[in-house]
């Protein structure tokens, strides 16, 4: 087997340290048939051409490239091989520049080291298999789960490229959290107004036809892998036909049943048929099956009688199951807030006038339970408000991370209180203040210069306690200098830690996408690939991955769609790289050691044949299972035992 | 009788269990006798070394060589039988991989002599006498075979045709090999394993296997394992995952974890290392993201700390034949 060794001098970078003549002599001693050739700059156009020509002229069958880091130029030289008609995997690259010339002082030792590495590569490359890339057909359509800012942005950009998007939203409304906020930090834009164009585009914009919106729906099953997933989506009945309903709201008033409105954190009532809140989109009410008299078998038909259009309210609507084929999935299910009753000393759920930030957002919203009026339970405007930051955040006993948005919305609250109720005292209790970004300082400075605002820094939330009494609500505290004090507040707002959405665990199981210690969807890489999960083809956007503000959520929605638009192109096949793992069924004992070790869940167990199976679309060739398999049943292509041992043996000779 | 092919069996550093396994063929031993001229077996027959030396080279059809190479005599007999046999089979774990005698490779020869002849509580040796290859006495020089510093496998001293693993090989597997040879069935290429499978013990084990994650290990005396689930999943270190099949999973069948006597499965170079790699892959130490390195080490130790003797556990049968081979001096 004729092996060619191409030695790049890299100008003086390599040639100054490593003696090519000596290397050549040593190689010819190892095997007189070796073809050795030096090149000045192998990665230059002339260099590549020279190698390609030499390969053909000398009928070289295996190639060793002695040059720089494979990270720089492995693919460059693999292409040279392909051009010369050789299988590109019949090449082994030796990094004599970074690993030898640049780090080994003595040139004699550098040459000896290079000699060993190159001889090892020669031994190894002779064992290489001519691996072939596989290609599979793909479906370019996308499933987006969650219609908050992140999911909407992603859905729109993908639909805009002409692809089909299935947008699945659990609640009856789209827009996520911010459509419930009157104003948004940092620039105090109106939340619903800012999002309206986005929501409008999804519902009836230029590319709306490409988006299939399924509200009150959830993804209950996913099979397949990147390029070819099949998803099962279950939809609860809305009992209102969204195509027929004109959104006039005539049906609401006549409904005789009412219950707490969960969309306003239970602070007011809604009817059995209702809109979550005024202006909610899609502009059609939904019926709560458990409340509705008709759906519980009663006689009432009041809403239908009031409805001006025929067929909008359908009592015999039923749950539906949809099956959709898609090539990629974006998870954008957002987040929830930490349960404040886990910090009982703060009085939440026991004392009046203690609200979470979410409740306070609804109190301030003009379409909220109080029409935007800030009032205590007694109906008065509060003279003093305490805002407690970092509730459960940065706290090893609760959530160890910083939730990132609380300080900023707390200063937004400060601003709105000052605006709506001038002269109200506001006291901020905080552990840390976090306000990064180029615009975010504005509200902070405003709060600092509010003459009615005071700031108390605490070390541990255990040092704060809220008590009710005859004179009102009192907050006892010990600040971070050890000083104790108390503050009276007519209203207390808690800023709870941002936590993973209620059933992201279940969804994670359906998608086989892992969660981190805190329960957020785990990214492939925190810096390089935070919009990608470890499962190929499952992407992440928004606060389901980590707490973040709307700007970042939107950006991540775009990032996720960017991956899909560039990686999954209609008409183009998906390339499957051949450096992956393969199970030899005859050797596999079915012990199931390997199944759980794969970080990309590429391994499954075939219960019929009782052997492990690697899905080569998902396999990234990391080799974890190869090392784990105790019966050597898994082969790591391009990193076989024989290849690695030959290399080690020669280096140590 | 002279026209029957000759069969011999020899023991080197071994316990004798391999001979018992052969005898455990029970009445089938008569079939062996009918097909072969069973002419050499120091444990059962009275043939002497000089009788073997007198044979022409290649006169013996098959030699089953059990026992590891511990002494110069072991080596001498191995080479002699190699020369006189057409087919030399490393029979049993000692000969194939070194087995229990091979665990001595964790110590030097001097340590071993000291432990056995000087420090041993049950020995009375006022003269501190340690056996030596040559001892001068009034009558002349007494000789003993040299005791090597290391235990080696048969293949490490001479050319071996086939391997039959097991401590000892299971009688039904011995019979499989013998009957195949009698029937003239094709044998695998030279160097292959006979009388065993290609995979691991789990293949033959009926216990229910799940995706493995193990949070706590137990020693056998600490736990009465459930009858259904895989023993390893219950926290007993069962070497079955990294041990060649062929025994019929006898130990796990009776609630005892496999200790690895059939040696590495096909393609595995180092049984102990494979077992360690597999265990390391499946221990459950919780989510380690963001944890300090010390804490991760602490959690790993908490799982593996309960194993009293790593080497004895993972290399019980395979040390001389492994990549490690023994203590690095
Ligand atoms: C009190 C408060 C005030 C804030 N104020 C501001 C502000 O002023 N400015 C700012 O930039 N940021 C603010 N934020 C942060 C902002 O809310 C988030 O950045 C933003 O909501 C993230 O968008 P998202 O799409 O990731 O998630 P979300 O907005 O949470 O949307 C997720 C969507 O997914 C749906 N969903 C959940 N589970 C499922 C499921 N299993 N299947 C299908 N659908 C599902 C939900 O119903 C929801 O519609 C604030 C946050 C809080 C808590
Ligand atoms: S670890 Fe190896 S032997 Fe065990 S199931 Fe996986 S492939 Fe099969
Ligand atoms: S090589 Fe890595 S990615 Fe591929 S199946 Fe094995 S563990 Fe999974
Ligand atoms: S008990 Fe042992 S042999 Fe049986 S399946 Fe479990 S690991 Fe394998």
């Amino acid at each position: 087997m004729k092996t060619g060794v191409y030695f790049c001098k890299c100008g003086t970078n390599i040639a100054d340290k490593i003696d090519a003549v000596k290397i050549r002599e040593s190689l010819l001693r190892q095997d007189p048939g070796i073809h050795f050739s030096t090149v000045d700059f192998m990665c230059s156009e002339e260099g590549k051409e020279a190698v390609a020509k030499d390969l053909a002229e000398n009928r070289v069958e295996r190639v060793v490239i002695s040059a720089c880091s494979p990270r720089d130029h492995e693919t460059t030289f693999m292409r040279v091989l392909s051009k010369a008609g050789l299988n590109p995997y019949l090449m082994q690259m030796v990094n004599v520049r970074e690993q030898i010339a640049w780090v080994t002082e003595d040139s004699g030792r550098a040459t000896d080291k290079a000699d060993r590495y190159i001889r090892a590569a020669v031994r190894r490359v002779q064992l290489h298999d001519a691996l072939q890339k596989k290609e599979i057909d793909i479906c370019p359509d996308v499933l987006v789960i969650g219609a908050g800012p992140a999911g909407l942005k992603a859905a729109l950009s993908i639909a805009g490229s002409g692809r089909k998007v299935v947008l699945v939203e659990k609640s009856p409304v789209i827009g996520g959290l911010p459509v419930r906020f009157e104003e948004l930090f940092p620039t105090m834009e109106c939340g619903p107004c800012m999002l309206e164009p986005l929501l409008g585009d999804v519902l009836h914009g230029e590319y709306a036809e490409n988006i299939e919106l399924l509200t009150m729906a959830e993804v209950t099953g996913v099979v397949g892998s990147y390029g070819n997933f099949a998803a099962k989506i279950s939809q609860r009945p809305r009992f209102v036909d969204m195509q027929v309903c004109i959104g006039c709201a005539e049906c609401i008033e006549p409904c005789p049943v009412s219950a707490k409105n969960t969309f306003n954190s239970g602070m007011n009532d809604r009817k059995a048929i209702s809109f979550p809140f005024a202006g909610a989109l899609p502009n059609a009410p939904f019926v709560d099956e458990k409340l509705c008299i008709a759906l519980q078998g009663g006689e009432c038909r009041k809403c239908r009688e009031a409805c001006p259009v025929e067929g909008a309210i359908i009592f015999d609507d039923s749950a539906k199951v949809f099956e959709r084929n898609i090539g990629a999935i974006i998870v954008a299910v957002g987040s929830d807030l930490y349960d404040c009753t886990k910090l009982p000393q703060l009085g939440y759920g026991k004392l009046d006038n203690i609200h979470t930030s979410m409740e306070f957002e609804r109190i301030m919203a003009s379409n909220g339970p109080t029409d935007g009026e800030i009032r205590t339970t007694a109906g008065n405007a509060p003279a003093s408000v305490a805002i407690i930051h970092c509730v459960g955040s940065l706290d090893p006993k609760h959530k160890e991370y910083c939730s990132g948005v609380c300080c900023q919305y707390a200063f937004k609250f400060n601003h709105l209180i000052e605006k709506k109720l001038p002269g109200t005292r506001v006291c901020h209790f905080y552990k840390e203040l976090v306000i990064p970004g180029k615009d975010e300082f504005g509200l902070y400075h405003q709060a600092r210069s509010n003459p009615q605002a005071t700031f108390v820094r605490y070390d541990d939330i255990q040092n704060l306690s809220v008590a009710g009494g005859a004179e009102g609500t009192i907050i006892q505290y010990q600040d971070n200098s050890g000083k104790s004090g108390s503050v009276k507040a007519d209203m207390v707002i808690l800023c709870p830690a941002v936590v993973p959405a209620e059933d992201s665990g279940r969804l994670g199981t359906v998608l086989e996408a892992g969660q981190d210690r805190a329960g957020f969807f785990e990214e492939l890489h925190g810096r390089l690939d935070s919009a990608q999960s470890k499962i190929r083809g499952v992407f992440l956007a928004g606060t389901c991955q980590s707490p973040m503000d709307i700007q970042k959520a939107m950006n991540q929605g775009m990032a996720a769609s960017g991956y899909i638009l560039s990686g999954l192109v209609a008409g183009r096949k998906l390339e499957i790289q051949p450096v992956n793992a393969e199970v030899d069924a005859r050797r596999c004992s079915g012990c199931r050691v390997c199944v759980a070790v794969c970080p990309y869940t590429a391994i499954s167990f075939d219960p019929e044949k009782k052997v492990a199976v690697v899905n080569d679309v998902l396999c990234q060739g990391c080799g974890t299972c190869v090392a784990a398999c105790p019966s050597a049943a898994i082969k790591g292509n391009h990193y076989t035992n024989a290849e690695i041992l030959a290399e080690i043996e020669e280096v140590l000779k | 009788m002279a026209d029957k092919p000759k069969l011999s069996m020899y023991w080197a550093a071994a316990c004798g269990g391999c001979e018992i396994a052969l005898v455990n063929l029970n009445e089938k031993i008569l079939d062996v006798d009918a097909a072969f001229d069973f002419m050499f077996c120091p444990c059962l027959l009275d043939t002497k070394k000089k009788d073997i030396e007198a044979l022409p080279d290649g006169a013996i059809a098959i030699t089953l060589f059990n026992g590891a190479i511990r002494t110069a005599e072991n080596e001498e007999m191995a080479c002699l039988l190699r020369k006189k046999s057409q087919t030399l089979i490393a029979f049993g774990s000692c000969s194939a991989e070194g087995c229990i005698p091979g665990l001595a490779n964790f110590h030097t020869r001097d340590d071993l002599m000291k432990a056995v002849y000087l420090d041993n509580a049950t020995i009375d040796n006022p003269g501190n006498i340690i056996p030596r290859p040559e001892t001068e006495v009034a009558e002349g020089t007494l000789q003993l075979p040299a005791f090597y510093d290391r235990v080696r496998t048969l293949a490490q001293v001479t050319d071996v045709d086939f391997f039959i693993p097991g401590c000892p090989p299971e009688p039904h597997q011995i019979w499989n090999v013998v009957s195949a040879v009698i029937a003239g069935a094709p044998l695998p290429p030279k160097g292959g394993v006979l009388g065993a499978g290609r995979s691991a013990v789990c293949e033959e084990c009926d216990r229910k296997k799940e995706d493995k994650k193990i949070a706590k290990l137990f020693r056998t005396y600490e736990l009465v394992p459930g009858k259904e689930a895989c023993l390893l999943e219950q926290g007993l270190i069962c070497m079955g995952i990294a041990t060649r099949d062929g025994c019929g999973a006898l130990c796990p069948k009776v609630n005892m974890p496999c200790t690895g006597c059939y040696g590495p499965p096909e393609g595995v170079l180092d049984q102990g290392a494979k077992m360690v790699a597999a265990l390391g892959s499946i221990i459950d130490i919780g989510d380690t993201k963001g944890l300090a390195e010390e804490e991760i080490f602490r959690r790993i130790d908490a799982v593996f700390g309960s194993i009293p003797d790593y080497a004895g556990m993972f290399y019980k049968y395979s040390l001389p034949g492994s990549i490690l081979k023994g203590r690095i001096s």
Side-chain angles (χ1 to χ4, degrees), chain A residues 580-581 594 597-603 614-615 618-626 634:
Chain A
N580 54 18
C594 56
V597 306
C598 177
Y600 309 97
T601 62
I603 309 181
V614 172
N615 175 331
L618 297 180
C619 173
Q620 307 284 309
C622 71
T624 310
C625 62
V626 182
I634 312 184

Side-chain angles (χ1 to χ4, degrees), chain A residues 400 515-518 522-523 584-597 605 610 624-633 641 645, chain B residues 198-203 209-213 232-233 240-243 265-269 274-275 277-278 281-282 287-291 299 323:
Chain A
E400 50 198 353
Q515 265 111 352
D516 60 22
R517 199 141 47 114
E522 191 171 21
E523 62 287 334
D584 178 346
R586 288 168 313 171
R587 282 186 179 173
C588 173
S589 73
C591 70
R592 300 181 73 156
V593 162
C594 56
V595 181
V597 306
F605 194 74
K610 295 211 166 67
T624 310
C625 62
V626 182
C629 172
S631 52
N641 277 349
L645 289 172
Chain B
R198 307 177 57 180
S199 182
V201 177
C202 308
E203 170 95 28
K209 295 140 200 136
E210 300 285 345
D211 298 352
K212 292 194 170 30
K213 270 275 164 231
L232 188 56
E233 284 159 32
I241 55 171
T243 302
E266 181 178 274
V268 171
L269 294 169
K274 255 305 178 200
M275 189 65 197
S281 305
I282 55 177
D287 186 357
T288 52
K289 205 174 175 192
L291 284 187
R299 290 192 188 179
I323 297 177

Side-chain angles (χ1 to χ4, degrees), chain A residues 589-591, chain B residues 200-203 205-209 212 229-233 236 238-241 249 252 256-258:
Chain A
S589 73
C591 70
Chain B
V201 177
C202 308
E203 170 95 28
C205 176
D206 293 335
R207 288 177 179 267
K208 202 165 166 307
K209 295 140 200 136
K212 292 194 170 30
C230 160
L231 296 171
L232 188 56
E233 284 159 32
L236 290 173
C238 181
M239 290 279 294
I241 55 171
M256 282 305 284
C258 166

